[in-house]
Amino acid sequence: MGVRKRERAEQIKEAKKQVAFAKLNNCPTSPRKMRLMADLVRGEKVEKALHILKFSKKESSNRLEKLLLSAIANWQAKNEDASIEDAELFVKEIRVDGGSMLKRLRPAPQGRAHRIRKRSNHVTLVLGANNNTQS
C-alpha cells in the first residue's frame, strides 16, 4: 500500500470513530407512528433525547430508546478511552423506512373481503460526536 493511500485510510478511520450507528429491522409498528417519535429526537443531544423517549407514552418510544442505548454502546466500543460527556454525542441522523407488510383479510358484508396491511419499519440511527456545541 502506498503512503498516500495509507494516510487516507487512517484519516477515514479517525473520521469513522466519531460516528456510531445502530439499526432496528422489521419493527412491527407502522412507519408513520415511528416517524412521530423519530422527529422529536432528530438533532438533539443524547441526554435530552433519552429523556424525551423515556417520558413519552407512545409504544414506539420504548423501541427507539433501546436503539439509542445500543448506538451509545457501539460508540463506546469504538472509543474506549473517551467519555460520553466530553464527546457531546448527538443524534446526527435518524431514518425510518417502510419494511415488509403482512397482508391479512377481514370479512366484509355481502361475501366480500377487505385487505388489512400490517406494516413494519426499519430504523437507522446515527450518532455523531462533536466537541463544538451542536443543537
Side-chain angles (χ1 to χ4, degrees), residues 24-31 34 60 63 119-123:
L24 174 65
N25 285 332
N26 296 320
C27 179
T29 310
S30 75
M34 189 64 87
S60 57
R63 295 190 173 136
R119 299 172 190 270
S120 68
N121 64 55
H122 307 308
V123 184

Side-chain angles (χ1 to χ4, degrees), residues 10-53:
E10 290 297 323
Q11 288 174 351
I12 291 171
K13 190 174 180 181
E14 284 301 315
K16 283 187 177 180
K17 268 194 167 187
Q18 298 302 316
V19 176
F21 74 98
K23 288 179 79 173
L24 174 65
N25 285 332
N26 296 320
C27 179
T29 310
S30 75
R32 185 175 179 178
K33 291 177 184 175
M34 189 64 87
R35 279 188 197 110
L36 287 173
M37 292 309 303
D39 291 341
L40 289 177
V41 298
R42 185 175 288 120
E44 296 290 344
K45 291 191 176 184
V46 166
E47 295 85 17
K48 187 174 179 186
L50 280 172
H51 288 302
I52 290 170
L53 294 172

Side-chain angles (χ1 to χ4, degrees), residues 11-114:
Q11 288 174 351
I12 291 171
K13 190 174 180 181
E14 284 301 315
K16 283 187 177 180
K17 268 194 167 187
Q18 298 302 316
V19 176
F21 74 98
K23 288 179 79 173
L24 174 65
N25 285 332
N26 296 320
C27 179
T29 310
S30 75
R32 185 175 179 178
K33 291 177 184 175
M34 189 64 87
R35 279 188 197 110
L36 287 173
M37 292 309 303
D39 291 341
L40 289 177
V41 298
R42 185 175 288 120
E44 296 290 344
K45 291 191 176 184
V46 166
E47 295 85 17
K48 187 174 179 186
L50 280 172
H51 288 302
I52 290 170
L53 294 172
K54 188 170 188 71
F55 296 110
S56 175
K57 292 181 181 178
K58 296 199 176 285
E59 181 202 352
S60 57
S61 68
N62 296 333
R63 295 190 173 136
L64 276 182
E65 182 184 5
K66 201 169 176 183
L67 184 68
L68 182 56
L69 290 172
S70 173
I72 293 169
N74 292 344
W75 186 87
Q76 279 181 323
K78 278 186 179 180
N79 305 289
E80 294 165 349
D81 53 339
S83 70
I84 297 174
E85 292 80 20
D86 297 339
E88 293 184 12
L89 292 178
F90 66 99
V91 180
K92 188 173 184 179
E93 181 183 347
I94 183 165
R95 270 195 327 270
V96 180
D97 303 318
S100 58
M101 258 187 278
L102 293 174
K103 292 178 177 155
R104 300 289 181 257
L105 292 176
R106 162 163 281 162
Q110 298 181 351
R112 296 190 193 103
H114 291 152

